[in-house]
Amino acid sequence: MPSRPRGLPALPCIAFLVAAPLALLAQVPASPAAPNVPAQAAPGSGPEGLEAYLAENEAEPRLAEHKDSPEALGLKLSALALINKERAAAGSPPIALDILASRVANRHALESARAGYTGHWNLAGEKPYHRWAAAGGRDHVSENAGGLDSSGPLNPAGIPGFIGRLHGSFMAERPPSDGHRRNVLEKGHTQVGLGYALEGGRFRYYEEYLDRYFELIEGPERIAAGELASWRFLPKAGYQVYAIIVYWEAFPRPMTPAQLEASGSCPDYTNRTILSLWPRDFAAAEDGSVSFSASWIERGSYYVQVYLDTQAPPRSGRFSTVGRIQGSGLVVRVE
């Protein structure tokens, strides 16, 4: 794995395989150091919760071609109930199901099932944060990926069991190789998108965990090279901006299924840090928002990570993102 700046979390992916005829594959992320996060409420997964999610599902216009049926949504709420039970046992707050993130997960699951790979990139070469940003997401995202391959067709009636088996494999992991499990239980998560697809003898399942802590008040997601632009972030109540780190990377390039299967890591950063702003470099406005401006001349994707804290940040001393909440996955295209 490449070297990285001190204190910034990564998402390495490790594949494992269980013997045929039904093979279980997974891509494992490692979660960052657990931040101190206040408890938060999440919509229920019972009848009242289902009605609320059904209404939200009807109201969401984005990625409508990957919209869940009421039956699929009910199945996902059952999976959410299990996830929240596991989180409660670990002392983590409950999380809600995110409709848009579930559609992003559905789309990736369908592509990976059809193409015969299990991984965190897609055929366009996009990582989870690229795919989430392209759909309109701005939160930080951490992905669990798993799949089942059979020599013969899989029965759709088995889908609840397939989800249970794959999620159960995540939770059965033991340290230090327990990236899936730590991702499920990460205290900083606020929402999750769940997606699955069955194509013949291939079943794919994805969990997209979100950290939603701010509102982007202003700022473009696409600018011209050399154009001066500004971004303003407003943290939700009880949080303050601690750091803003911007990474550069080339635009994603298409990958083959073979390349995707051979891809062993999915870092949540790049090797080029373009901008680092610490508490001494900015001041919050009266409403708690923080702004920064930049003009970038090199074409590519700029990955903006905003870290938050529940305490007022110091203005001097040594700074580190360890233990801070990674609340942003904003991607800005410079063209």
Side-chain angles (χ1 to χ4, degrees):
M1 183 173 177
S3 61
R4 55 177 289 103
R6 179 182 181 274
L8 300 177
L11 292 172
C13 314
I14 306 168
F16 64 90
L17 177 66
V18 175
L22 192 61
L24 185 153
L25 309 99
Q27 301 288 331
V28 184
S31 59
N36 180 21
V37 180
Q40 53 199 342
S45 55
E48 293 182 1
L50 176 58
E51 291 301 317
Y53 281 116
L54 285 170
E56 184 181 348
N57 196 35
E58 291 300 318
E60 174 57 69
R62 293 169 290 185
L63 295 182
E65 65 274 25
H66 298 287
K67 175 182 176 181
D68 282 312
S69 67
E71 294 76 17
L73 195 55
L75 179 57
K76 292 182 180 184
L77 289 178
S78 295
L80 175 69
L82 174 60
I83 289 170
N84 277 331
K85 181 179 179 180
E86 293 162 341
R87 289 176 60 84
S92 299
I95 57 179
L97 186 72
D98 189 90
I99 295 298
L100 180 60
S102 292
R103 294 182 185 180
V104 171
N106 285 343
R107 180 173 60 180
H108 190 48
L110 182 60
E111 180 191 277
S112 60
R114 287 177 173 173
Y117 71 86
T118 302
H120 295 283
W121 283 267
N122 63 8
L123 292 172
E126 296 171 327
K127 299 174 186 176
Y129 59 81
H130 292 130
R131 291 184 272 110
W132 178 230
R138 293 160 176 167
D139 323 293
H140 181 251
V141 58
S142 304
E143 179 177 86
N144 279 355
L148 296 170
D149 282 354
S150 173
S151 56
L154 292 170
N155 189 337
I159 287 176
F162 301 155
I163 292 175
R165 178 175 177 180
L166 287 167
H167 183 79
S169 72
F170 299 163
M171 297 304 296
E173 295 170 348
R174 292 294 177 263
S177 300
D178 60 340
H180 280 110
R181 181 177 178 277
R182 284 183 285 131
N183 196 23
V184 173
L185 303 179
E186 167 60 47
K187 287 182 169 60
H189 296 331
T190 57
Q191 277 89 5
V192 65
L194 302 176
Y196 65 83
L198 175 61
E199 289 286 316
R202 296 173 182 148
F203 180 78
R204 297 294 183 266
Y205 173 64
Y206 287 85
E207 299 175 344
E208 312 289 347
Y209 290 94
L210 305 179
D211 306 329
R212 182 168 296 161
Y213 289 93
F214 78 95
E215 179 182 356
L216 180 64
I217 301 298
E218 63 175 322
E221 296 177 6
R222 186 185 303 261
I223 60 175
E227 177 183 352
L228 179 64
S230 298
W231 294 264
R232 183 158 68 100
F233 303 91
L234 177 64
K236 67 182 184 181
Y239 298 87
Q240 300 184 57
V241 174
Y242 179 86
I244 300 172
I245 314 293
V246 181
Y247 296 97
W248 176 91
E249 61 186 318
F251 291 130
R253 296 181 178 180
M255 300 174 69
T256 67
Q259 288 174 321
L260 293 168
E261 279 291 292
S263 299
S265 64
C266 181
D268 191 34
Y269 64 97
T270 74
N271 290 327
R272 286 187 57 188
T273 303
I274 299 299
L275 181 68
S276 297
L277 298 176
W278 301 100
R280 60 171 178 259
D281 301 318
F282 55 79
E286 188 173 342
D287 64 355
S289 65
V290 168
S291 303
F292 80 96
S293 299
S295 175
W296 297 309
I297 61 173
E298 188 170 5
R299 295 178 66 255
S301 293
Y302 289 75
Y303 183 30
V304 182
Q305 297 186 352
V306 179
Y307 288 84
L308 303 132
D309 202 348
T310 56
Q311 306 296 324
R315 292 295 172 187
S316 61
R318 189 175 183 181
F319 301 108
S320 171
T321 58
V322 172
R324 311 299 190 231
I325 300 163
Q326 193 170 353
S328 164
L330 180 66
V331 176
V332 178
R333 288 179 60 92
V334 176
E335 300 175 329

